[in-house]
Amino acid sequence: MAATIIDAVIIIMLAGAIAYGFMISAKVRRLMAVLKELEPLVQEFSQAVDKSEQSVEQMKDSIEARKTQDQADWQEEEVRVEDDAPAFASRRQPSSKMPGMQIVRDKKDLVRMFFEASRVESRT
């Protein structure tokens, strides 16, 4: 009699495990179908991220090239000034900031600048 009860409990537990396996299998199939639908969107997002990274690198390169060019122009101007012997430079040394670019130290500055810019745009 005890063996029959133990066998019945094992059979019930096996049936429960099999039913749970089928439920999990159905959920995994639905998940895979959703992921398959999202695949083009994920690829688009990945390409957009790659393009953004390339744009940032190009901007950094152009800023560095501009800084190098400005520094070279300044040094050339200094040499010319020393040769011509005027007491002052005809041009100031270029600032470290690029026109239109601002250094933002923290999130508060970024938010403040955003709202200031939006106020200026809304007035025009």
Side-chain angles (χ1 to χ4, degrees), residues 18-92:
I18 290 171
Y20 184 71
F22 278 122
M23 287 177 22
I24 295 294
S25 176
K27 287 182 180 183
V28 168
R29 274 188 254 125
R30 280 193 304 236
L31 176 64
M32 293 304 289
V34 169
L35 289 176
K36 194 166 205 129
E37 290 175 14
L38 287 177
E39 185 178 6
L41 296 175
V42 171
Q43 287 178 351
E44 263 183 61
F45 179 73
S46 176
Q47 290 171 351
V49 168
D50 291 342
K51 187 175 179 181
S52 297
E53 287 177 348
Q54 290 173 354
S55 297
V56 168
E57 287 300 320
Q58 288 174 350
M59 285 177 20
K60 284 180 182 177
D61 291 344
S62 65
I63 289 171
E64 288 300 318
R66 177 63 189 245
K67 283 182 181 178
T68 304
Q69 181 64 36
D70 286 347
Q71 190 65 27
D73 290 347
W74 173 252
Q75 289 173 352
E76 183 178 306
E77 186 77 24
E78 282 181 343
V79 169
R80 223 179 302 135
V81 167
E82 289 173 4
D83 291 345
D84 296 341
F88 61 91
S90 62
R91 226 172 67 173
R92 291 190 308 172

